[in-house]
């Protein structure tokens, strides 16, 4: 399984000095502004205090505001204001801050914004727009472990445009095959790509093709509950009586659900086995 780490969401994993360097070097407009020694000292102090405060606290936001009063063009600081609000499902509050990050550094945060709209705020049409712009301006790339085409495919799945979803998921698969030619197919293409490609074919009624994709996903993530379930559903649709056994196996493996980092904040598209699903809660 490939990991393409473009932007780290977990604050504690970064060194504060790295954050400050990232803030300065990552934003073109900030590079042009020479800060005085006193201003630089204050910015660093505010950043340090913000990360000494709980991420979802008002104090965290206020210290970031103080830093932005000195360097208002810092895309990184705007993103740092937005991210905790999205994780707290306060999308309306976080959106203007993320828009500011994109405004000042689109080459760095446009794809991240598309990801946040797809997985967090469920603004699928805008997510597609941002990823298509990113593809046009910066080329096909990866954000938060997956290709731009992968997220566009998810957006279209959630809009019930299943043919378009399949189109972009196939592009994502081919992109990964090209980028990792020495890996076997089930590994060069992420297991979730295989899963969602199977979902697109399931929704289109292409049950044999769906089963083939679910099997590829299961080769990497053994007993992946959602893949087991939809494989069983596909078999049942084809008149195979063994389909029910696969669905039963899915519920027996309910803990083996989608394991993306952000599932602690959001339910992913077609994620059946999550804490809000009463049928998979412990009795």
């Amino acid at each position: 399984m490939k990991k393409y780490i473009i932007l780290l969401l977990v604050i504690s994993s970064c060194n504060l000095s790295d954050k400050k360097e990232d803030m300065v070097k990552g934003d073109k407009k900030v590079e042009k502004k020479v800060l005085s020694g006193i201003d630089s000292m204050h910015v660093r102090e505010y950043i340090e205090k913000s990360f000494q405060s709980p991420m979802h606290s008002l104090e965290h936001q206020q210290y970031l505001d103080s830093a932005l009063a000195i360097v208002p063009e810092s895309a990184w600081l705007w993103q740092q204001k937005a991210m905790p609000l999205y994780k707290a499902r306060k999308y309306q509050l976080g959106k203007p801050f993320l828009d500011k990050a994109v405004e000042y550094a689109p080459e760095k945060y446009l794809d991240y914004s598309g990801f946040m709209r797809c997985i967090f705020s469920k603004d699928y049409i805008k997510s597609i727009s941002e990823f298509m712009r990113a593809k046009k301006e910066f080329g096909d790339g990866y954000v938060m472990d997956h290709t731009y085409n992968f997220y566009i495919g998810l957006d279209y799945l959630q809009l019930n445009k299943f043919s378009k979803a399949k189109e972009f998921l196939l592009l994502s698969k081919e992109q990964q095959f090209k980028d990792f030619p020495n890996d076997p197919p089930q590994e060069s293409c992420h297991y979730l790509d295989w899963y969602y490609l199977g979902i697109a074919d399931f929704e289109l009624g292409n049950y044999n093709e769906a089963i083939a994709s679910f099997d590829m996903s299961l080769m990497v993530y053994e007993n992946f509950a959602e893949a087991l379930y939809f494989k069983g559903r596909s078999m049942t649709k084809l008149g195979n009586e063994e389909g029910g056994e696969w669905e039963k196996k899915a519920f027996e493996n309910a803990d083996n659900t989608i394991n993306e980092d952000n599932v602690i904040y959001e339910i992913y598209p077609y994620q059946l086995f999550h804490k809000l699903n009463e049928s998979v809660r412990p009795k």
Side-chain angles (χ1 to χ4, degrees):
M1 190 180 342
K2 299 293 184 246
K3 292 290 183 181
Y4 315 98
I5 304 176
I6 306 300
L7 178 67
L8 216 52
L9 289 178
V10 182
I11 293 172
S12 61
S13 65
C14 290
N15 179 284
L16 281 175
S17 62
D18 292 337
K19 292 178 185 298
K20 186 169 183 285
E21 181 180 355
D22 183 51
M23 178 188 73
V24 174
K25 292 183 178 179
D27 306 339
K28 295 180 179 179
K29 294 188 178 182
V30 175
E31 287 183 323
K32 299 177 182 178
K33 181 176 180 179
V34 179
L35 296 181
S36 69
I38 293 177
D39 280 345
S40 295
M41 180 184 67
H42 285 320
V43 168
R44 180 175 179 80
E45 178 185 356
Y46 292 138
I47 292 173
E48 289 175 347
K49 287 184 176 180
S50 72
F51 289 109
Q52 290 167 3
S53 305
M55 182 175 67
H56 297 291
S57 68
L58 182 60
E59 290 81 6
H60 179 78
Q61 291 285 336
Q62 289 172 334
Y63 284 123
L64 292 175
D65 287 338
S66 296
L68 280 164
I70 300 172
V71 282
E73 303 90 353
S74 171
W76 179 77
L77 283 173
W78 287 113
Q79 183 270 337
Q80 289 297 304
K81 279 185 64 66
M83 178 262 294
L85 295 169
Y86 274 84
K87 288 184 174 181
R89 299 185 179 88
K90 297 181 179 181
Y91 312 125
Q92 296 285 342
L93 294 179
K95 179 180 178 296
F97 303 141
L98 190 52
D99 287 345
K100 279 288 188 181
V102 173
E103 176 186 346
Y104 289 122
E107 73 285 354
K108 189 169 185 180
Y109 292 112
L110 180 60
D111 57 5
Y112 175 74
S113 179
F115 158 77
M116 295 297 277
R117 293 181 191 278
C118 176
I119 300 301
F120 281 78
S121 59
K122 293 21 176 191
D123 188 357
Y124 302 117
I125 293 175
K126 183 64 175 178
S127 175
I128 292 170
S129 175
E130 289 188 329
F131 275 119
M132 294 302 288
R133 177 188 163 193
K135 283 162 62 72
K136 180 179 180 180
E137 295 184 9
F138 310 115
D140 279 320
Y142 297 82
V143 61
M144 302 306 293
D145 300 347
H146 298 284
T147 68
Y148 298 170
N149 292 313
F150 169 85
Y151 292 109
I152 297 172
L154 265 60
D155 289 325
Y156 277 121
L157 278 179
Q158 295 301 88
L159 293 170
N160 281 357
K161 296 184 177 181
F162 304 120
S163 293
K164 292 294 289 184
K166 182 175 180 178
E167 174 188 336
F168 281 93
L169 289 166
L170 286 172
L171 287 175
S172 179
K173 181 182 76 170
E174 293 305 318
Q175 181 179 343
Q176 292 170 85
F177 281 176
K178 181 180 178 181
D179 290 343
F180 306 99
N182 297 324
D183 291 342
Q186 71 273 15
E187 293 182 4
S188 62
C189 183
H190 197 284
Y191 83 88
L192 275 183
D193 280 78
W194 287 115
Y195 171 65
Y196 284 117
L197 183 56
I199 291 295
D201 273 319
F202 175 83
E203 294 286 18
L204 290 168
N206 304 326
Y207 301 119
N208 283 315
E209 292 181 51
I211 290 170
S213 291
F214 294 138
D215 282 341
M216 293 294 278
S217 183
L218 288 163
M219 288 179 69
V220 173
Y221 187 0
E222 187 178 356
N223 292 328
F224 174 23
E226 277 81 1
L228 293 170
Y229 177 81
F230 279 104
K231 177 179 179 177
R233 288 282 310 279
S234 299
M235 294 172 69
T236 299
K237 291 284 188 180
L238 291 169
N240 188 332
E241 295 181 357
E242 294 181 4
E245 292 300 314
W246 285 89
E247 293 179 43
K248 179 181 178 182
K249 186 177 180 181
F251 282 88
E252 292 171 351
N253 289 273
D255 289 339
N256 296 327
T257 185
I258 293 172
N259 57 11
E260 296 286 282
D261 291 341
N262 289 293
V263 294
I264 63 175
Y265 304 108
E266 298 290 340
I267 297 172
Y268 270 58
Y270 291 83
Q271 182 182 4
L272 303 179
F273 300 98
H274 49 77
K275 292 182 179 180
L276 296 181
N277 186 346
E278 293 184 359
S279 66
V280 297
R281 291 179 183 172
K283 303 299 183 182

